[in-house]
Amino acid sequence: MALPDLDKAVGHSFGLEIDGVQIKQISEVSGLKMEQDVIELKQNTVDGKYVIKKLPGRPKAGEVTLTRGLTDDNSFEKWVKDAHFGKMASARKGGAIIVYDYEGTPLKRYKLTNAWPKSLEIGSLKAGDTSVLTEKLVITYEQMEVE
């Protein structure tokens, strides 16, 4: 049963797909954006008026942060290790961040080009704490497209 149009944008879960491998346990995605430079063209018109036009410039690279609960899956760690030791031929990957609806059907895909892990952060470790341990992966990418 489909949701009404106004409810379709609810992100019930998120996933990361890197070179065909899917990681669906993502609990938070932040910083995902497309951006480009703005070029200001300053000139005088034929009748002598000074005008400023804004033109689209080069697209900018970006960074996205993914958070998930700590699991025994070590796919993040393997990927980080490749980038950390400079194996960029295997560290740079194509992939996508996928937003799923309540039935697990993909709503939107954000395709990342030449993505690689910049950092991996493990949440606070406190003895006796009952909160979920998390890991945050910061991925840098050269280009993003919405599919």
Side-chain angles (χ1 to χ4, degrees):
M1 178 166 116
L3 288 173
D5 285 339
L6 295 175
D7 291 338
K8 285 194 183 236
V10 176
H12 288 272
S13 63
F14 314 99
L16 172 66
E17 181 182 282
I18 295 292
D19 284 348
V21 176
Q22 289 193 353
I23 302 169
K24 288 191 174 183
Q25 303 93 349
I26 307 298
S27 60
E28 184 180 342
V29 177
S30 62
L32 190 62
K33 69 178 180 176
M34 292 173 64
E35 191 176 8
Q36 68 186 60
D37 288 329
V38 175
I39 300 168
E40 283 192 1
L41 176 63
K42 300 172 184 176
Q43 62 185 13
N44 290 327
T45 61
V46 177
D47 57 350
K49 288 184 184 177
Y50 178 74
V51 294
I52 299 175
K53 287 189 173 191
K54 294 198 176 203
L55 305 170
R58 295 182 186 153
K60 291 184 179 182
E63 288 184 356
V64 61
T65 302
L66 306 174
T67 305
R68 73 173 182 175
L70 192 65
T71 67
D72 61 351
D73 176 20
N74 63 356
S75 54
F76 280 2
E77 291 86 356
K78 283 188 210 173
W79 195 21
V80 169
K81 189 181 278 188
D82 283 347
H84 183 73
F85 290 114
K87 298 179 183 175
M88 296 312 289
S90 61
R92 287 184 198 273
K93 298 187 182 288
I97 293 175
I98 307 162
V99 179
Y100 297 97
D101 68 6
Y102 72 104
E103 293 178 324
T105 307
L107 283 177
K108 197 73 104 161
R109 293 176 58 90
Y110 299 95
K111 182 180 171 189
L112 306 177
T113 304
N114 287 332
W116 55 274
K118 175 183 165 185
S119 67
L120 178 64
E121 176 185 344
I122 308 303
S124 304
L125 303 173
K126 293 182 184 177
D129 192 5
T130 58
S131 61
V132 175
L133 291 175
T134 60
E135 56 184 350
K136 287 185 180 185
L137 180 69
V138 178
I139 299 173
T140 185
Y141 55 89
E142 293 177 6
Q143 183 179 0
M144 183 183 81
E145 296 175 38
V146 182
E147 294 183 335

